[in-house]
């Protein structure tokens, strides 16, 4: 059977596959920064050329209002299922740069890991699929099924150009199953299939107390300080038990089932090990739930940043005119970003004191995802991972968000397989991001098997 040849090809070309990933990492495709616009463009070109190497019949770089979408397809298996592969070539900013042990855009190997921005999120993970496809094409001369491939450049900034692309190209993108590697495994040696993701709603709160900054001696005591007003507001968003206090916030939350609870309790997750990895003196999560349930199945509200007033060297006696915060809410089924946005805005306006002017800006959002495990694609994925890793796969949910997942599954009406090869402690979005080198290789093998398994459905 030709799959053995594809597997052998991947093993023989392991070093080259790694070398190419290092080249991809070297392109600083930070989507949020206008300074890197040309780099993002260059990265899209690299991905386009990599798709050509695979042997796709059609490869396109689709310009958008912001960053290009790279699309490729190979439809040479009539009568066979079609996979829609999704990934992102954009990365998060690298600051604080001084905390990186090696430069973020010079991928470097240490202790069985490849360090660099985007190694695991998501360059290494989508690239291994291209290498799995190449392994099929260069040995069998064909893929076992049809593949359509979208690699975008705006995932880390909310995927805003992708929805219009999806809506305008529904027919072109029709497929039987979506495949995404942009998540993690629950533990090394435990290949994982993620069937649930949280959604997100993101806000900026701006407060103004006076026309301009004021002398705190002359005015202090009679003028409301907007930073105090802001911290008061933030303090009223959650109670002591970790519940979000916004009225109506939990109305549509689907409770975790007993079956899921039992399955989660069986996973190799240790709260104390997790605490040590985080490096916090103590953890805190919602009363009545386990840590994993809180991370994966319960909504969460977090202040992502807060600023205002004087923060320079020394002291300056001032009542600042403004205060600001960025707040994100992680959503679970069936919370809708727009509905939560309305509730959030209404509550914040209600509790804001009359001495300040407040505005709430709604930034990007994404809906939560929960797959139907009874769909046969999950069995196929599970068999593929078992062949790739030599161990049984587990089914997990995760707390992160990939906004496009719901857009895609709803618009195209297909199941979605989230098969991630990241690991706990991978430092995604943080300094010293890494991908496990063994996972990069085993992930490639698993993808080779996945296409085979899905083709037999
Ligand atoms: N790959 C992550 C999402 C993820 C990480 C899912 C780990 C599951 C486990 C993705 O690149 C990401 O960072 N998403 C953002 C979405 C946001 C920018 C709209 C997130 O979750 O913060
Ligand atoms: Mn990602
Ligand atoms: Mn990310």
């Amino acid at each position: 059977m030709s799959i053995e040849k594809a597997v052998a090809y991947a093993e023989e070309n392991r070093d080259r596959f790694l070398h190419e990933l290092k080249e991809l990492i070297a392109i600083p495709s930070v989507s949020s920064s206008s300074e890197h616009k040309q780099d993002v463009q260059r990265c899209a070109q690299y991905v386009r050329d990599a798709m050509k190497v695979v042997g796709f019949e059609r490869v396109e770089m689709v310009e958008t209002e912001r960053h290009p979408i790279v699309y490729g397809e190979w439809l040479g298996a009539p009568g066979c299922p079609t996979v829609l592969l999704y990934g992102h070539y954009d990365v998060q900013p690298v600051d604080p740069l001084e905390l990186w042990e090696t430069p973020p855009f010079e991928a470097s190997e240490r202790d069985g890991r490849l360090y660099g921005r985007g190694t695991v999120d998501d360059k290494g993970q989508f690239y291994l699929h291209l290498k799995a496809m190449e392994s099929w094409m260069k040995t069998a001369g064909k893929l076992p099924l049809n593949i359509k491939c979208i690699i975008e450049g705006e995932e880390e900034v909310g995927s805003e150009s992708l929805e219009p692309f999806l809506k305008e190209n529904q027919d072109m993108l029709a497929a039987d199953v979506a495949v995404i590697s942009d998540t993690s495994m629950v533990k090394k040696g435990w290949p994982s299939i993620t069937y649930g993701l949280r959604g997100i709603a993101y806000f900026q709160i701006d407060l103004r107390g006076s026309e301009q900054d004021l002398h705190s001696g002359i005015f202090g005591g009679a003028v409301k300080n907007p930073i105090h007003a802001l911290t008061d507001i933030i303090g009223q968003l959650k109670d002591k038990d970790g519940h979000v206090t916004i009225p109506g916030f939990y109305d549509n939350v689907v409770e975790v089932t007993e079956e899921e609870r039992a399955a989660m309790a069986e996973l190799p997750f240790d709260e104390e090990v997790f605490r040590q990895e985080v490096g916090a003196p103590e953890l805190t999560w919602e009363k009545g739930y386990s840590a994993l349930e809180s991370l994966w199945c319960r909504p969460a509200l977090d202040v992502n940043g807060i600023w205002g007033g004087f923060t320079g060297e020394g002291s300056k006696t001032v009542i600042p005119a403004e205060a600001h915060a960025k707040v994100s809410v992680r959503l679970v089924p069936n919370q809708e970003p727009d509905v939560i946005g309305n509730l959030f805005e209404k509550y914040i306006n209600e509790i804001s004191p009359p001495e300040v002017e407040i505005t709430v800006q709604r930034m990007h959002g994404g809906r939560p995802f929960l797959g139907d495990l009874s769909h046969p694609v999950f069995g196929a994925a599970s068999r593929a991972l078992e062949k790739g890793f030599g161990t049984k796969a587990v089914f997990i949910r995760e707390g992160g968000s990939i906004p496009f997942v719901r857009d895609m599954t709803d618009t195209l009406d297909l199941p979605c397989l989230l098969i991630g090869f990241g690991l706990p402690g991978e430092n995604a979005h943080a300094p010293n991001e890494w991908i496990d080198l063994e996972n990069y290789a085993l992930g490639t093998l698993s993808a080779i098997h996945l296409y085979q398994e899905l083709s037999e459905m």
Side-chain angles (χ1 to χ4, degrees):
M1 223 178 61
S2 52
I3 189 160
E4 273 113 46
K5 288 188 184 156
V7 166
Y9 180 93
E11 276 160 3
E12 283 152 23
N13 288 280
R14 195 170 163 158
D15 290 348
R16 176 171 60 84
F17 289 176
L18 183 60
H19 174 78
E20 290 174 14
L21 175 58
K22 290 180 183 172
E23 285 180 353
L24 183 57
I25 302 300
I27 309 172
S29 49
V30 182
S31 51
S32 62
S33 127
S34 48
E35 240 170 75
H36 285 292
K37 192 155 174 64
Q38 284 312 313
D39 297 318
V40 177
Q41 191 81 17
R42 202 152 52 81
C43 195
Q45 288 164 356
Y46 188 98
V47 175
R48 177 198 61 195
D49 294 345
M51 285 187 187
K52 288 184 181 161
V53 169
V54 172
F56 282 158
E57 294 160 334
R58 173 175 167 197
V59 179
E60 269 173 49
M61 221 171 103
V62 183
E63 294 300 332
T64 71
E65 288 197 357
R66 207 156 170 196
H67 301 308
I69 296 164
V70 189
Y71 178 77
E73 64 180 29
W74 187 88
L75 305 177
C80 295
T82 301
V83 162
L84 180 61
L85 180 82
Y86 165 79
H88 63 94
Y89 66 82
D90 67 319
V91 299
Q92 286 274 327
V94 295
D95 55 281
L97 186 60
E98 65 279 9
L99 295 184
W100 286 79
E101 279 174 33
T102 48
F105 299 113
E106 287 170 31
S108 81
E109 286 177 54
R110 289 197 296 284
D111 316 319
R113 297 170 173 180
L114 186 72
Y115 283 86
R117 174 57 87 231
T119 45
V120 72
D121 186 12
D122 173 41
K123 288 174 171 174
Q125 296 216 59
F126 81 74
Y127 201 70
L128 66 83
H129 279 276
L130 296 185
K131 295 299 106 177
M133 292 175 209
E134 177 188 320
S135 303
W136 273 110
M137 291 294 280
K138 295 279 147 66
T139 54
K142 58 182 186 191
L143 297 172
L145 39 51
N146 303 297
I147 291 195
K148 299 176 177 177
C149 198
I150 301 175
I151 309 295
E152 70 148 323
E154 294 180 17
E155 198 276 342
E156 299 292 8
V157 289
S159 299
E160 267 156 7
S161 301
L162 213 49
E163 210 183 321
F165 174 78
L166 176 67
K167 295 267 145 71
E168 281 158 28
N169 296 288
Q170 272 190 55
D171 294 335
M172 174 178 94
L173 298 173
D176 299 293
V177 55
V179 171
I180 303 176
S181 291
D182 191 24
T183 49
S184 297
M185 292 167 27
V186 67
K187 188 180 177 175
K188 181 150 165 115
W190 290 69
S192 309
I193 300 166
T194 300
Y195 67 94
L197 289 174
R198 290 195 289 192
I200 187 167
Y202 204 112
F203 308 94
Q204 179 168 324
I205 305 174
D206 300 297
L207 256 60
R208 169 167 289 280
S210 52
E211 281 271 313
Q212 57 181 49
D213 288 359
L214 303 170
H215 187 299
S216 67
I218 302 174
F219 297 94
V223 177
K224 183 87 180 177
N225 184 319
I227 297 182
H228 287 289
L230 180 59
T231 53
D232 274 351
I233 291 170
I234 288 171
Q236 290 175 64
L237 295 177
K238 279 196 241 187
D239 68 16
K240 283 195 279 313
D241 293 334
H243 297 292
V244 173
T245 43
I246 300 168
F249 184 79
Y250 292 96
D251 281 0
N252 297 313
V253 168
V254 176
E255 278 296 325
V256 44
T257 64
E258 280 312 314
E259 214 182 328
E260 279 186 300
R261 280 200 153 180
M264 263 187 273
E266 292 297 307
L267 291 171
F269 179 84
D270 183 298
E271 283 165 1
E272 176 53 19
V273 172
F274 177 66
R275 185 194 67 75
Q276 284 170 15
E277 262 166 25
V278 171
E282 225 178 281
L283 293 176
T284 169
W285 57 79
E286 197 182 341
K287 226 180 177 170
Y289 298 88
S290 72
L292 262 197
E293 285 164 8
S294 299
L295 292 167
W296 293 353
C297 313
R298 298 294 295 170
L301 182 150
D302 276 284
V303 179
N304 300 104
I306 182 163
W307 71 101
F310 177 70
T311 55
E313 192 186 347
S315 61
K316 177 184 177 194
T317 46
V318 66
I319 301 175
E322 296 173 20
H324 311 269
K326 306 248 189 200
V327 177
S328 66
V329 185
R330 294 288 165 169
L331 309 173
V332 298
N334 292 318
Q335 290 177 303
E336 286 289 330
D338 288 346
V339 174
I340 294 297
N342 291 341
L343 297 175
F344 182 89
E345 206 176 317
K346 183 162 176 269
Y347 181 61
I348 298 270
N349 278 300
E350 272 168 20
I351 62 176
S352 179
E355 301 89 350
V356 293
E357 265 172 35
I358 185 162
T359 38
V360 177
Q361 283 181 62
R362 295 200 202 178
M363 304 174 77
H364 57 68
R367 302 164 73 201
F369 167 73
L370 198 59
D372 173 7
L373 281 177
S374 69
H375 197 288
V377 293
F378 288 98
S382 169
R383 289 191 293 279
L385 282 172
E386 190 165 349
K387 286 178 177 163
F389 279 78
T391 6
K392 245 190 149 35
V394 289
F395 292 91
I396 64 172
R397 287 169 71 165
E398 282 185 280
S401 310
I402 307 176
F404 189 56
V405 170
R406 271 297 289 283
D407 292 342
M408 191 166 51
T409 55
D410 289 5
T411 307
L412 303 174
D413 188 26
L414 40 62
C416 180
L417 288 171
L418 293 151
I419 305 177
F421 304 106
L423 285 178
E426 67 195 6
N427 295 329
H429 296 201
N432 305 307
E433 177 182 346
W434 52 269
I435 191 168
D436 181 90
L437 285 169
E438 192 185 15
N439 274 9
Y440 183 59
L442 296 181
T444 312
L445 289 190
S446 302
I448 292 173
H449 286 289
L450 180 67
Y451 306 143
Q452 178 69 40
E453 292 292 335
L454 289 173
S455 79
E456 288 167 5
M457 268 188 346

